[in-house]
Amino acid sequence: MRQDPPHPPNSLQEKPAAVHDHDHEHGGSTLSEMDLRVRALESLLVEKGYVDPAALDILIETYEQHIGPRNGARVVAKAWCDPAYKAWLLADATAAIASLGFSGRQGEHMIVLENTPATHNMVVCTLCSCYPWPVLGLPPVWYKSAPYRARAVIDPRGVLRDFGFTLPDAVQLQVWDSTAELRYLVLPMRPAGTDGWSEEALAALVTRDSMIGTGLLPDIVAPATAKEPA
C-alpha cells in the first residue's frame, strides 16, 4: 500500500493553498476561444429551434451524475472486493484504473486517496476545474465555481456541512489540490452491512460526491435475514 509523506505536496492540510503551476489556462471568469465558440453555437441552435435547452440540461446532468461517475464506482467497488487490486490502486492508480478500461485525457496521472475512520479526503482545484474525466465524467457546476474553490481551502468543514454532513473533530480532514499534472479520486469507506455483496451491487451504492469527498455513503441497515438486492 502506498504510504504518503506526512505533508504531501498537494495536500492543503486545511490551510490556505499555495499557488501551484498548471500547464494550461485557468481563465477565471474569462472564457476560452473554444468555450465562446461552443456557447455561440449552442445559442444559435436554441434560437433556431434545433435544440431544446431543457433536453440539453438533462443530457449534461446525465453525463455529470450517472454515466461518467459509474466508471469510478466500478473502480471503488473492485477495490472494496479485491485486496490485491486495492493495494495496486493505492500504489499506482493510473495503471490500476486503466486496467479496467478507464483512461485518456484528464486521467493520465491519477492518485487515489483512501478514506478511513481517522482521515477524510476532499478534492478541489483552487485555480480552475481540473477533474478526472475518465472516472467521474463531466465536473459539476459547483466544483468549478469560485465559492467552492475558495471555501474548500478556507473552511472545508463548513463546505461539508453545506453538503449535508458534519465531520467529527477527531477525524483529520485533508484537502487535495488537483493540477494539470495530477487528478485525484477518493476511495470512500465501504458501507457497513454490505458483506458478501457483488461488485455490481456495491458499485450502485457509490456516488459521485463520495469520490470527490463531499459526500458520505450511508451504512446499510437491514434485517439479519436480508440478502443482497436482486
Side-chain angles (χ1 to χ4, degrees):
M1 183 179 296
R2 179 177 63 86
Q3 297 294 327
D4 290 323
H7 299 289
N10 291 330
S11 174
L12 305 181
Q13 297 289 325
E14 298 188 64
K15 296 179 181 179
V19 175
H20 56 251
D21 294 329
H22 283 40
D23 63 2
H24 63 293
E25 293 293 333
H26 290 286
S29 61
T30 302
L31 296 176
S32 68
E33 180 181 353
M34 181 60 70
D35 287 331
L36 291 171
R37 292 174 63 184
V38 169
R39 292 198 178 191
L41 178 59
E42 178 186 339
S43 298
L44 180 62
L45 293 174
V46 169
E47 180 182 343
K48 291 185 176 294
Y50 294 129
V51 174
D52 180 354
L56 188 59
D57 290 341
I58 291 174
L59 179 63
I60 292 174
E61 180 181 1
T62 297
Y63 274 89
E64 284 182 353
Q65 299 189 27
H66 303 291
I67 296 176
R70 289 305 89 203
N71 294 346
R74 284 185 55 195
V75 173
V76 169
K78 185 169 181 63
W80 285 343
C81 293
D82 185 340
Y85 179 79
K86 177 182 175 182
W88 184 22
L89 184 68
L90 295 175
D92 187 353
T94 305
I97 292 170
S99 74
L100 299 182
F102 310 135
S103 61
R105 191 169 184 270
Q106 309 298 327
E108 298 93 341
H109 304 288
M110 295 290 303
I111 290 179
V112 168
L113 311 165
E114 182 183 11
N115 281 352
T116 70
T119 303
H120 183 88
N121 298 284
M122 184 169 71
V123 180
V124 66
C125 181
T126 55
L127 295 181
C128 60
S129 57
C130 296
Y131 196 73
W133 293 1
V135 286
L136 291 184
L138 300 175
V141 172
W142 57 261
Y143 182 86
K144 299 182 287 184
S145 70
Y148 175 76
R149 284 155 39 201
R151 289 193 61 223
V153 176
I154 298 171
D155 182 24
R157 292 178 184 270
V159 170
L160 295 184
R161 285 193 295 271
D162 290 344
F163 276 88
F165 69 95
T166 299
L167 199 65
D169 291 339
V171 177
Q172 181 186 20
L173 175 56
Q174 290 188 321
V175 179
W176 299 80
D177 194 2
S178 294
T179 72
E181 293 77 30
L182 289 175
R183 301 290 197 278
Y184 297 102
L185 178 73
V186 173
L187 176 61
M189 291 188 291
R190 178 172 178 167
T194 60
D195 291 345
W197 284 32
S198 67
E199 286 185 25
E200 182 179 2
L202 289 169
L205 299 177
V206 182
T207 64
R208 176 197 65 196
D209 289 1
S210 72
M211 293 182 284
I212 299 174
T214 54
L216 292 180
L217 300 179
D219 292 335
I220 303 300
V221 179
T225 56
K227 297 181 180 180
E228 174 189 328

